[in-house]
């Protein structure tokens, strides 16, 4: 989906950092840092020195089995130890690690020491449940402190976590859970959403009926809604009961650098979600380095990333990056517009947030009211802003820069993916910025624009975004699907380079301008969802014979779903059925699947082998040339 970035898009328009930003910055010279990054071994081993290792690595990068790269082989390390335990020996002991706030204005502050106690108690409790190193534990939880504690407790004992976003519903949940074969599931009585409490437990209960591997369900009493103990089944236990009386110390499991850390599902071109697998040491190094250098994290920061922990942004930059750097991370449970459109700015003022990282869709949503809400609060604590998840249109960039950052905060437009684990293309605070461009590759990253044969295209021309060298926090494989890993990412373009799945262009300064996905993945309000997943939700409704979906541009959400359906005989696409279909898709996938329009058709464009050609539908939709139609069925 190509965004309308023509208005205001001006490659010559450059914003330079202030002296203040330059003076504070960890990295003072962008070009020199990029130069340093060219020596991968040296650059990344220097970054790895920031952690405490049980045993130092033997080799920084092992590329003997491309593309199955390995990093820091021979090293032994524990993530939770580095994110929590090591800080309690320092002056950070009583510093706030997690500042939880919700839409009702309730807050909970957890210091590093308190976090240490909680993580250990839960880690011990998990062991008692029979969870061992390498076992999978799943979470279907709201943005609540227990979610962070549960992830860290898994790391502490070497269990692999697999979080399911709490905005996904039954169908999506079952697919992900069964693929990961989780033993234990964490869920909660509910989550706050725009004044209501969504009953997560009910969704989990329905889904679990189809998830045979789960032995224990841990229920967090989060909203305090009434679940009586007697209502819990034999395999369910309240979180508070589970940790009661557990010892407050737990030795960290020394993990091999390449031991699995987590699986996180994301959408691809086919209906089956991809289990993106990350391993331990490299992930830690990549995430901490990018956060420190891109958002210039210092001792006194109050860091707020609004992303949900159910997605990679939350994994890398709500929990792991900030805690590995020993800063305070804000965990916010709520929407940007409830109880009103000033809620985020009120939080910035109240807690003195210094770095703020969000999605373009939220900015577009908030900018409709001009400066009305941003002017109500004092935002002078802010130093650096960031965006992630989709291209930011220059108008939204300018609004963010002017009204939120008051023209003094540089905006870090960070391009990356679930698969990359960390930011790969992004400015640093000292970089000259162009609104709408994520600028240049991070030091150590060789990103290029190529054609189908893998030849670099001239500056100014569009092509596929590829990464030519490995980086520490890259995903290692797709869970139990090595073939798909190779086919989707490494084989399409000759030369064994990483194919990101985005279309991109580089301007004459080498700045990248992301144009959108090159595959059938949609970005709805920054959330990644596969066309095929939505189609299978449609065809699981009894009235639908076939369905094809594409993204339709939307001024706020970036994209929404446009569905073309062939109905079974005897059905008509009237108001009632449209409502039913919307409900059904929401039940299967959750509120992330925003339906813009459903139209009835009697035929779908297909290849002779029966694959739906969504490209043709998109071209028709946008009134463009249909392109090569030689493979079309008729
Ligand atoms: C898109 C999110 C433009 C892109 C961290 C990518 C972006 C997909 C940007 C990954 C950006 C992410 N500018 N597009 N700054 N950041 N994207 O896995 O299409 O949910 O391939 O990871 O989001 O989405 P994912």
């Amino acid at each position: 989906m190509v965004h309308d970035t023509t208005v205001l898009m001006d490659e010559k328009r450059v914003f330079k950092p202030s002296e203040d930003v330059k003076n504070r910055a960890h990295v003072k010279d962008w070009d020199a840092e990029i130069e340093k990054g060219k020596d991968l071994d040296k650059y990344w081993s220097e970054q790895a020195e920031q952690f405490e290792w049980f045993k130092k690595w033997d080799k920084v990068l092992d590329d003997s089995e491309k593309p199955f790269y390995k990093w820091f082989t021979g090293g032994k390390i524990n993530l939770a130890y580095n994110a929590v335990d090591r800080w309690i020996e320092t002056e950070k002991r009583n510093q706030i690690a997690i500042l939880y706030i919700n839409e009702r204005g309730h807050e909970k502050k957890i210091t590093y020491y308190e976090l240490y106690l909680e993580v250990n108690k839960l880690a011990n409790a998990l062991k008692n449940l029979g969870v061992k190193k390498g076992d999978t534990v799943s979470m279907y939880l709201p943005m609540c402190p227990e979610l962070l504690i549960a992830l860290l407790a898994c790391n502490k004992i070497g269990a692999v976590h697999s979080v399911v976003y709490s905005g996904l519903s039954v169908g999506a949940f079952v697919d992900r859970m069964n693929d990961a074969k989780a033993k234990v599931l964490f869920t909660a009585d509910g989550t706050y959403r725009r004044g209501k409490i969504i009953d997560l437990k009910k969704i989990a209960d329905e889904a679990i009926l189809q998830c045979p591997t789960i032995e224990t369900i841990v229920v967090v009493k989060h909203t305090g809604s009434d679940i009586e103990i007697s209502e819990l089944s034999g395999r369910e236990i309240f979180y508070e009961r589970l940790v009661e009386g557990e010892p407050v110390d737990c030795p960290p499991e020394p993990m091999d650098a390449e031991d699995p850390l987590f699986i996180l599902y994301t959408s691809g071109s086919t209906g089956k979600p991809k289990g993106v697998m990350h391993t331990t040491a490299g992930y830690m190094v990549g995430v901490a380095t990018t956060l420190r250098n891109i958002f210039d994290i210092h001792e006194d920061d109050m860091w707020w990333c609004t992303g949900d922990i159910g997605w990679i942004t939350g994994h890398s930059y709500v929990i792991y990056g900030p805690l590995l750097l020993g800063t305070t991370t804000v965990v916010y449970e709520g929407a940007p517009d409830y109880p009103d459109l000033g809620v985020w700015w009120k939080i910035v003022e109240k807690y003195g947030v210094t770095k703020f990282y969000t999605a373009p869709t939220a900015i577009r949503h908030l900018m409709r009211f001009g400066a009305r809400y941003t002017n109500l609060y004092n935002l002078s604590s802010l130093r650096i802003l960031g965006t992630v998840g989709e291209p930011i249109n220059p108008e939204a960039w300018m609004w963010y820069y002017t009204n939120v950052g008051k023209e003094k905060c540089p905006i870090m437009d960070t391009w990356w993916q679930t698969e990359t684990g960390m930011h790969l293309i992004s400015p640093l605070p000292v970089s000259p910025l162009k609104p709408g461009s994520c600028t240049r590759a991070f030091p150590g990253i060789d990103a290029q624009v190529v054609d189908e044969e893998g030849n670099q295209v001239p500056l100014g021309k569009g092509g596929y975004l590829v990464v030519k060298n490995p980086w520490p926090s890259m995903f290692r494989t797709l869970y139990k699907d090595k073939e798909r890993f190779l086919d989707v990412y490494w084989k399409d373009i000759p030369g064994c380079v990483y194919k990101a799945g985005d279309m991109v262009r580089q301007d004459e300064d080498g700045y990248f301008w992301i144009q959108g996905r090159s595959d059938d993945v949609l970005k709805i309000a920054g959330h990644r969802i596969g066309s095929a997943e939505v189609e299978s939700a449609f065809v699981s409704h009894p009235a639908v014979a076939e369905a094809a979906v594409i993204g339709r541009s939307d001024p706020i959400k970036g994209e929404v779903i446009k569905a073309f359906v062939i109905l079974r005989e005897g059905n008509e696409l009237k108001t009632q059925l449209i409502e039913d279909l919307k409900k059904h898709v929401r039940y299967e996938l959750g509120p992330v699947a925003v339906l813009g329009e459903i139209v009835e058709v009697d035929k779908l464009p297909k290849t002779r082998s029966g694959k739906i050609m969504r490209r043709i539908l998109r071209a028709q939709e946008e009134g463009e040339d249909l392109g090569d139609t030689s493979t079309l069925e008729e």
Side-chain angles (χ1 to χ4, degrees), residues 266 312-313 388-391 413-419 502 514 517 523 528:
T266 189
I312 192 69
T313 305
V388 56
E390 48 172 331
D413 177 348
T414 59
W415 178 90
W416 60 297
Q417 308 176 299
T418 310
E419 293 87 341
D502 278 15
I514 306 285
R517 298 283 309 187
K523 270 286 175 161
R528 182 165 160 181

Side-chain angles (χ1 to χ4, degrees), residues 54-84:
F54 300 126
K55 178 178 171 286
K56 266 279 180 67
W57 57 93
D58 302 322
K59 204 168 170 28
V60 180
L61 169 63
D62 174 355
D63 59 1
S64 57
E65 244 189 290
K66 290 176 190 169
F68 297 98
Y69 295 97
K70 295 191 186 98
W71 286 85
F72 306 108
T73 46
K76 295 245 179 219
I77 196 164
N78 183 282
L79 193 160
Y81 177 83
N82 276 281
V84 186

